[in-house]
Amino acid sequence: MSTLKYDAIVIGGGPGGIAAAITLARKKMRVILLERGRFCGAKNLFGGVAYTKSLLNLFPDLELKDIPKERWVTEEGFWLLAEEDIIKITYGSAQAPRGFTAFRAKFDPWLAAKAEEEGVLVIAKTTVVDFLHNKKGQVQGVVTDRPEENSSQPEKVFAPLVIIAEGVNNLLAQKLGLARDFEPEDVVLAVKEVLSLPKGSLESRFGLLSAEDGLAVEILGEATCGLPGNGFLYTNSKTLSLGVGVFLKVLQTQNLKPYELLANLKNHPRLKKYLQGETTLEYGAHLIPEWSVDNMPQVYGPGVLLVGDSAGLVNPFSREGTNLAIYSGLLAGEVGALAREKDNYSEEFLALYREKLEESFILKDLRKIRKLKKLLLTQEHLFHYPYLLNQMASIYFHADHKEKEEVFREIKDVIKKNRGVLGVVKDLSKLFWALRG
């Protein structure tokens, strides 16, 4: 860090921060990216699905074969678990896949290398501990945990624009008054294991046609013991990612440990068949922001912008996070470049970033599901429907010499006993309106 004055500072070497840095650098701005991990991606747990569209927005000429993927997602959908049964609802297409599984420890360094090719200075093992301000209160740089050369004083880096991509634990955004500390109902705690299986098992057990094909499913019902949340299963090139995510508030009120839920999922009679011979290679936990659009942080301030998880840009309904981070970073970079062109880093000018988010699919989609979190947390019985559907399927698919009229009568009785026809109609209506914004 020999030259300590830059046009922009990016805090955080995840996809959102790197996308912002690349966009700024392409506008001939001198950009430094500070990452507290040993390298970009070293501290990120994500091992799930990412999408090609956001990458192509950032790299229009990108050869998709060059992406450090695990597998293309060629089949995706939902598994509905009861205590012993399962219903599978999956979708596959002959068209080119739009998503892929990836590990951030591989994906982020690849992105960071792309940023360095564009001229971004990437500095790892550096934590930002505070901000520098001018007399008007505008952010003018950062204070790091590195000592100055030949001094015990902390190193300072100056720039008129700072883009924060620190993730869900947005302590720096809180320091600037742009965000509040999250409440237990604001986050989902996800735990995940990476499992190795006997050679060839991924293809044979999950019906994958080749080593390039992959499966991504959300698992509802018994995956979380009927509590608000879901399980997930993603196939990697040679391993399997299996995990559960539940609202932190639910874990507190139910006095549950997330690893207990994951152990319960692994021991499910239907899942155990897929996991025979497994060995756990990796275990981790991670918080996922579920603030909703009404409670998300203020994404701009004087001399500062927020992107990705630090801005609460996660869409749990459609399993989108990484692509929202990349696209928000791209938008932040465009606004930052325009601020330099106008030499205006005021809060009023940088509000343009929020306007761009509002115009994009990101906030339009998040507005559509703004009521969903409250519905799920107050109507926990919705997570019992996988059990009900499995009961109905069990009756329907058992050919036990009953007249079909009697079969449908039994199904109707199960509905009446569990929720009632009117109750089901009301639940569908509530879910419909919760997805209408």
Side-chain angles (χ1 to χ4, degrees):
M1 293 170 23
S2 56
T3 303
L4 301 180
K5 292 185 178 180
Y6 295 84
D7 296 318
I9 300 167
V10 177
I11 305 172
I18 296 174
I22 289 173
T23 305
L24 292 166
R26 286 174 176 166
K27 299 294 185 179
K28 309 304 180 184
M29 295 175 66
R30 296 180 65 246
V31 184
I32 184 171
L33 186 150
L34 305 176
E35 163 58 38
R36 65 190 178 97
R38 292 183 296 111
F39 56 87
C40 292
K43 301 181 73 64
N44 294 324
L45 176 69
F46 171 91
V49 178
Y51 297 94
T52 57
K53 180 64 176 178
S54 55
L55 280 176
L56 291 173
N57 283 330
L58 188 61
F59 305 113
D61 299 324
L62 178 67
E63 293 286 343
L64 295 182
K65 63 180 177 62
D66 296 332
I67 297 174
K69 63 174 176 56
E70 292 296 300
R71 287 176 183 259
W72 292 112
V73 176
T74 52
E75 186 176 355
E76 54 191 318
F78 300 92
W79 288 359
L80 309 180
L81 284 189
E83 289 89 346
E84 297 182 348
D85 306 324
I86 186 170
I87 294 174
K88 300 179 182 179
I89 307 170
T90 59
Y91 165 78
S93 173
Q95 297 180 0
R98 293 165 293 181
F100 56 93
T101 55
F103 286 121
R104 292 281 295 278
K106 298 178 182 178
F107 184 70
D108 290 10
W110 173 78
L111 269 183
K114 294 281 188 184
E116 289 177 321
E117 291 173 7
E118 299 284 355
V120 177
L121 178 60
V122 178
I123 304 292
K125 295 185 286 187
T126 303
T127 301
V128 171
V129 296
D130 207 349
F131 294 93
L132 304 170
H133 303 265
N134 62 15
K135 294 180 180 179
K136 295 181 179 180
Q138 183 171 307
V139 173
Q140 290 286 283
V142 301
V143 181
T144 76
D145 64 345
R146 284 177 175 251
E148 290 180 345
E149 189 174 359
N150 301 320
S151 169
S152 61
Q153 294 298 311
E155 188 76 88
K156 300 179 180 65
V157 186
F158 296 87
L161 176 67
V162 175
I163 294 180
I164 300 176
E166 60 182 329
V168 62
N169 293 305
N170 55 2
L171 300 178
L172 294 175
Q174 291 179 41
K175 185 181 284 286
L176 292 174
L178 299 177
R180 59 168 175 80
D181 196 5
F182 57 76
E183 300 294 335
E185 63 269 21
D186 292 331
V187 291
V188 164
L189 178 58
V191 294
K192 182 194 74 171
E193 288 187 6
V194 177
L195 309 172
S196 71
L197 296 176
K199 187 176 181 180
S201 295
L202 286 172
E203 287 76 24
S204 62
R205 295 181 186 180
F206 296 99
L208 304 175
L209 298 178
S210 73
E212 287 282 295
D213 294 316
L215 172 70
V217 291
E218 307 297 307
I219 312 174
L220 302 175
E222 185 63 13
T224 57
C225 298
L227 297 171
N230 65 277
F232 52 87
L233 182 151
Y234 306 134
T235 54
N236 307 311
S237 59
K238 297 180 181 179
T239 61
L240 186 72
S241 292
L242 181 70
V244 295
V246 179
F247 281 98
L248 188 58
K249 180 180 180 180
V250 174
L251 293 173
Q252 287 184 337
T253 56
Q254 299 291 330
N255 195 26
L256 278 171
K257 305 293 189 298
Y259 57 81
E260 294 173 342
L261 292 174
L262 181 53
N264 180 68
L265 177 60
K266 289 179 68 177
N267 287 315
H268 189 279
R270 301 294 299 186
L271 266 292
K272 285 177 70 174
K273 295 181 179 181
Y274 290 107
L275 304 180
Q276 288 179 3
E278 60 89 6
T279 301
T280 300
L281 302 179
E282 192 178 305
Y283 174 89
H286 181 62
L287 292 174
I288 302 172
E290 301 275 358
W291 288 315
S292 86
V293 70
D294 296 320
N295 296 314
M296 63 184 287
Q298 182 169 322
V299 296
Y300 62 93
V304 63
L305 298 172
L306 274 59
V307 302
D309 280 13
S310 62
L313 301 179
V314 171
N315 189 332
F317 185 72
S318 54
R319 198 179 57 219
E320 294 180 273
T322 301
N323 61 321
L324 304 190
I326 292 173
Y327 196 64
S328 66
L330 191 154
L331 294 180
E334 290 177 351
V335 172
L338 191 58
R340 180 181 184 240
E341 180 183 322
K342 303 293 184 181
D343 192 24
N344 187 350
Y345 301 92
S346 67
E347 182 173 356
E348 292 75 18
F349 186 84
L350 294 182
L352 176 62
Y353 171 56
R354 174 72 188 217
E355 293 176 18
K356 284 183 171 289
L357 285 175
E358 294 281 3
E359 294 168 359
S360 74
F361 74 96
I362 297 177
L363 287 193
K364 287 179 179 179
D365 285 348
L366 291 182
R367 288 200 180 281
K368 288 290 186 183
I369 62 168
R370 65 196 306 171
K371 300 176 183 177
L372 185 60
K373 181 179 76 172
K374 182 178 179 180
L375 177 70
L376 298 181
L377 286 173
T378 58
Q379 307 287 318
E380 290 190 11
H381 66 272
L382 292 175
F383 290 88
H384 292 188
Y385 272 93
Y387 300 88
L388 174 59
L389 291 170
N390 272 281
Q391 278 186 273
M392 295 164 60
S394 177
I395 295 170
Y396 180 81
F397 288 108
H398 274 77
D400 49 9
H401 294 193
K402 292 180 181 178
E403 293 183 27
K404 290 300 176 270
E405 183 177 345
E406 183 179 352
V407 170
F408 289 121
R409 186 164 57 248
E410 287 185 17
I411 290 174
K412 187 176 181 180
D413 289 342
V414 166
I415 295 173
K416 284 183 177 179
K417 181 180 178 181
N418 284 272
R419 187 62 184 149
V421 176
L422 183 58
V424 172
V425 172
K426 286 182 177 179
D427 290 338
L428 289 174
S429 177
K430 289 177 182 177
L431 185 60
F432 173 80
W433 289 110
L435 296 176
R436 297 286 293 174

